[in-house]
Amino acid sequence: MIGADGRAVMWSARVLARPLTERVAGVELVERLCERAGREGFGVYLLGAHQTVVSKLAERLVQKYPGLILSGVADGYFGADESESRARAVAASGAKILVVAMGVPKQEH
């Protein structure tokens, strides 16, 4: 799922005559997903940003959402030659949710 995060997305949807009822900020979506994951006991994998940033986010999410299982945490700074091994690591983690923050268009690929 790719969220409608940002004014450009809202504008584009309107121009294409497919207006969206509301903007969904990525941070709000991640918080709600982590809250539910913590309650229901399924894992979340965080992929993206600099290692110090994603590690700090992981710490805060675990503190904020008791029961949250982090199946994996990895930075987003890797080349195309590492993409397959990263994808295998995510798949092997057992995570039900993958949160990617690597910027457009890299994260979409």
Side-chain angles (χ1 to χ4, degrees):
M1 175 180 71
I2 299 173
D5 185 8
R7 294 224 180 266
V9 172
M10 298 297 291
W11 177 84
S12 299
R14 194 171 52 253
V15 167
L16 295 171
R18 298 188 54 93
L20 301 169
T21 57
E22 65 181 300
R23 176 181 171 266
V24 179
V27 67
E28 292 171 5
L29 178 61
V30 169
E31 286 189 338
R32 288 186 179 181
L33 288 171
C34 287
E35 179 183 24
R36 184 166 178 189
R39 272 195 331 265
E40 297 191 19
F42 48 81
V44 175
Y45 196 108
L46 304 175
L47 176 64
H50 191 275
Q51 188 62 48
T52 56
V53 173
V54 73
S55 295
K56 189 69 165 175
L57 173 62
E59 287 175 26
R60 288 187 177 176
L61 289 173
V62 168
Q63 288 172 353
K64 188 170 184 176
Y65 302 107
L68 179 64
I69 300 164
L70 286 181
S71 300
V73 176
D75 71 78
Y77 291 90
F78 57 91
D81 58 324
E82 292 180 65
S83 292
E84 191 172 321
S85 64
R86 294 280 180 123
R88 279 196 300 271
V90 171
S93 76
K96 299 289 184 194
I97 298 173
L98 170 62
V99 177
V100 182
M102 294 174 22
V104 175
K106 186 176 180 180
Q107 65 191 17
E108 281 72 21
H109 295 292

